[in-house]
Amino acid sequence: MASLAPSLHQMLRPRFALSLTSPSSSFSLLGSRHRLVLHHLFASSSQTSASLSSTSTTRDAEEEKQGLEVIDVNPPRGTRDFPPEEMRLRNWLFQNFREVSGVLAFEEVDFPVLESESLFIRKAGEEITQQLYNFEDKGGRRVVLRPEITPSLARLVIKQGKSVSLPLKWFTIGQCWRYERMTRGRRREHYQWNMDIFGVSKVRAEAELIHAIVLLFERLGITSLDVGIRVSSRKVLQSVLEMHNIPEHLFTQVCVVVDKLGKITREEIEKELISVGVSSEAINGIIEVLSIKSLSKLEEVLGSEREAVADLKKLFSLAEHYGYSQWISFDASVVRGLAYYTGIVFEAFDREGKLRAICGGGRYDRLLSTFGSDDISACGFGFGDAVIIELLKEKGLLPDLVRQVDDIVFPLDSELEGPASMVVSSLRKKGRSVDLIEDKRLKWVFKHVERINAERLILVGNSEWQRGMVRVKILSTREEYDVSVDELV
Ligand code: HAM
């Protein structure tokens, strides 16, 4: 049934419905609404018929009369199908994520997409908590489709308890769900590559994570002229709050509000900060510090004793040694919107400024205690699959990924399906990727082999088979010869 849909798609015309009815099934693809109508159970006609109706009202009435069940062929808004070519691209990207993680000696972990809602209930007013896909399951439990993976990681670290040997370096690739306003590269479902380190309090952890991000970009052909990584520390803001005697418990809320700078007006930010309990004098101080773009200026304003300054200086010095300093820059306005970050925060952006953040992360040393456990220092990042694909498209860096089939086997006579099956079986046992084609004309098979770029075409013909041979055509060289099945492999 699904294979019929694409060809029918080409027949779509606005305001017309085409429906084919057979005893077992029927399809109706409607121009402007792209609907597929299925009715297995209710079809009454024994003949295939095609009918066109020019108004949806008549059509709806007809469908209702016939008991048709109408489904939308599009996936839910903001979500994606992955047809083969998209899937090849996704696998290629994930393979790069995995290889970079391996190069940094991280281990892969995984979690359920469905999590307990309580893991994501935070009171700082973050956007993410307002975008939850949350509901009650049939057992009355409050659950969510996770919007991010960090709380699940924390949950597993807590669950493993004392048995876990630190430092722990984990990576994961998983689907996340956020009921977002959709923009380019932002969807309601996306995959995120996460790398996280637990048990390293030194800035080395951040330096390692940024190294991973840079290695990934380099693999994909992206240079530091295309992309930069802005770095700051939440301790900068913490210092400013201390300087203005603002109580510590307001810190998280202030971070969440300040992250909206540039997204909403300054007046709105000020209003929100005042409602959180920040004085207007402090607001001016905060906004002034957030405009700083150089470490020396920051040092001048905060003094060299501040942890924020020491951490950032250390990170920039390590970046020199790793050899990626051209990728990173200090920008005090980077605060990030998630409540749990406590120290260095960073995000990668395209230098042309066309897209949203490519990835982002930071230190979150106090997340575990919010779940009632002892804290362990932690640091990590999330890297989505959607923005990076948009960037690769922009830069003309999308790879040309072809289907990987080694051999096509084609029996020239339907009576040779047994020998053809033997050939296929022995090739597959040797690990070759083999497709058996039947009931097609030879001309179609030649074209197909070219189209999918198979290495060899193996023809099983009567006279060759009687001699224990098959005919081989090598696509790249156009060579053609007979060989025994053993030699084939
Ligand atoms: P985040 O900044 O919310 O951080 O998301 C990280 C990345 O996920 C973004 O930079 C973007 O690439 C991608 N992303 C987020 N939302 C969407 C969306 N709606 N559509 C497409 N891509 C999206 C976190 O999620 C943190 N948990 C990251 C982290 C891990 N921090 C420490 N460890």
Side-chain angles (χ1 to χ4, degrees):
M1 201 182 305
S3 64
L4 270 176
S7 58
L8 287 174
H9 254 295
Q10 294 154 5
M11 300 159 82
L12 296 176
R13 294 286 182 275
R15 298 180 59 241
F16 287 101
L18 167 71
S19 88
L20 303 176
T21 312
S22 74
S24 56
S25 65
S26 85
F27 306 88
S28 166
L29 283 161
L30 311 173
S32 55
R33 291 156 63 195
H34 291 214
R35 293 186 308 173
L36 172 68
V37 177
L38 311 166
H39 79 123
H40 298 276
L41 301 172
F42 305 105
S44 52
S45 166
S46 60
Q47 287 173 339
T48 301
S49 68
S51 67
L52 290 171
S53 63
S54 58
T55 66
S56 59
T57 331
T58 331
R59 182 188 58 227
D60 287 347
E62 263 173 34
E63 285 163 5
E64 208 169 287
K65 211 162 63 191
Q66 289 177 35
L68 297 180
E69 189 188 331
V70 180
I71 64 156
D72 190 333
V73 289
N74 294 305
R77 187 168 158 72
T79 70
R80 296 165 290 179
D81 291 322
F82 289 88
E85 55 282 8
E86 299 293 332
M87 199 61 203
R88 278 201 287 274
L89 190 60
R90 181 174 124 185
N91 284 339
W92 166 82
L93 183 66
F94 289 9
Q95 189 56 25
N96 277 292
F97 289 160
R98 288 207 162 84
E99 283 172 13
V100 168
S101 307
V103 163
L104 274 102
F106 277 55
E107 286 185 288
E108 186 161 5
V109 289
D110 198 13
F111 308 94
V113 177
L114 190 74
E115 277 283 9
S116 299
E117 188 185 56
S118 55
L119 214 50
F120 298 89
I121 300 296
R122 301 191 291 248
K123 296 192 184 75
E126 300 154 280
E127 205 179 25
I128 199 169
T129 57
Q130 291 147 26
Q131 297 171 330
L132 291 180
Y133 276 89
N134 47 353
F135 55 97
E136 194 171 287
D137 73 7
K138 290 186 171 59
R141 295 171 205 91
R142 295 293 309 169
V143 288
V144 298
L145 294 177
R146 65 178 177 203
E148 55 156 343
I149 310 182
T150 313
S152 306
L153 270 164
R155 180 176 59 65
L156 186 57
V157 171
I158 296 170
K159 187 175 155 202
Q160 297 216 331
K162 298 257 178 301
S163 70
V164 81
S165 118
L166 299 172
L168 182 152
K169 298 177 182 187
W170 282 350
F171 82 95
T172 185
I173 302 168
Q175 199 180 32
C176 299
W177 292 82
R178 297 182 190 185
Y179 197 82
E180 283 248 21
R181 199 175 61 80
M182 291 196 337
T183 54
R184 191 171 173 204
R186 278 286 183 279
R187 0 193 81 264
R188 300 215 166 134
E189 143 284 312
H190 70 281
Y191 283 86
Q192 241 190 48
W193 169 42
N194 278 232
M195 287 183 79
D196 289 83
I197 301 177
F198 283 81
V200 177
S201 57
K202 286 163 73 176
V203 175
R204 165 73 59 195
E206 286 88 332
E208 284 275 280
L209 294 168
I210 295 175
H211 191 211
I213 294 169
V214 169
L215 286 175
L216 191 272
F217 284 139
E218 286 176 344
R219 264 172 179 260
L220 304 185
I222 290 168
T223 71
S224 59
L225 296 177
D226 306 316
V227 162
I229 302 169
R230 294 191 193 106
V231 183
S232 185
S233 171
R234 283 221 172 154
K235 289 179 188 164
V236 169
L237 208 53
Q238 202 173 7
S239 306
V240 182
L241 298 191
E242 273 168 30
M243 285 158 74
H244 288 91
N245 300 318
I246 295 168
E248 213 187 317
H249 70 267
L250 297 183
F251 174 66
T252 310
Q253 276 164 286
V254 172
C255 288
V256 170
V257 175
V258 166
D259 178 63
K260 297 179 195 163
L261 256 176
K263 296 169 199 151
I264 59 175
T265 65
R266 183 173 164 157
E267 289 69 45
E268 286 169 312
I269 299 270
E270 283 180 21
K271 231 159 101 193
E272 286 196 33
L273 285 176
I274 285 170
S275 74
V276 165
V278 183
S279 66
S280 33
E281 188 206 348
I283 291 175
N284 288 335
I286 290 171
I287 292 180
E288 206 172 298
V289 169
L290 290 181
S291 68
I292 297 176
K293 301 266 188 281
S294 95
L295 262 186
S296 51
K297 174 81 179 153
L298 184 77
E299 193 168 354
E300 215 175 90
V301 175
L302 298 185
S304 54
E305 300 304 302
R306 295 275 177 187
E307 265 183 52
V309 176
D311 285 357
L312 286 162
K313 279 170 86 175
K314 179 73 189 171
L315 179 63
F316 279 82
S317 141
L318 284 171
E320 289 275 338
H321 293 284
Y322 275 93
Y324 62 69
S325 33
Q326 70 280 21
W327 290 83
I328 64 170
S329 57
F330 170 69
D331 183 340
S333 70
V334 176
V335 178
R336 308 208 24 79
L338 296 167
Y340 47 67
Y341 292 121
T342 52
I344 285 184
V345 278
F346 50 87
E347 60 191 27
F349 63 98
D350 70 301
R351 293 198 190 270
E352 285 189 72
K354 289 186 179 167
L355 304 165
R356 302 231 348 221
I358 305 167
C359 69
R363 178 165 287 281
Y364 51 101
D365 285 347
R366 293 195 289 274
L367 180 60
L368 267 53
S369 60
T370 65
F371 297 139
S373 175
D374 291 341
D375 275 322
I376 299 177
S377 47
C379 189
F381 69 80
F383 192 123
D385 64 337
V387 183
I388 187 69
I389 293 292
E390 289 300 319
L391 182 69
L392 292 171
K393 266 188 216 159
E394 280 278 325
K395 302 284 169 198
L397 291 170
L398 276 185
D400 190 12
L401 301 167
V402 288
R403 191 176 162 189
Q404 301 260 303
V405 178
D406 296 326
D407 300 318
I408 296 290
V409 174
F410 181 61
L412 290 168
D413 191 317
S414 60
E415 281 166 21
L416 291 167
E417 62 169 10
S421 309
M422 275 172 62
V423 173
V424 164
S425 171
S426 56
L427 287 167
R428 286 179 183 158
K429 273 185 197 147
K430 295 290 175 193
R432 290 187 68 83
S433 155
V434 187
D435 195 11
L436 175 67
I437 305 280
E438 284 180 303
D439 305 326
K440 290 281 183 194
R441 296 164 74 97
L442 192 54
K443 203 169 150 201
W444 184 93
V445 177
F446 283 138
K447 274 206 183 126
H448 178 67
V449 171
E450 299 251 353
R451 196 172 52 236
I452 67 164
N453 205 21
E455 194 184 320
R456 303 187 298 185
L457 169 62
I458 298 164
L459 298 172
V460 184
N462 239 323
S463 57
E464 290 85 2
W465 190 251
Q466 274 165 20
R467 290 185 284 121
M469 310 284 251
V470 290
R471 171 139 288 229
V472 174
K473 273 175 164 287
I474 308 284
L475 209 71
S476 57
T477 59
R478 309 266 148 195
E479 264 180 285
E480 214 178 307
Y481 51 84
D482 293 348
V483 284
S484 70
V485 177
D486 290 346
E487 281 173 296
L488 251 189
V489 194

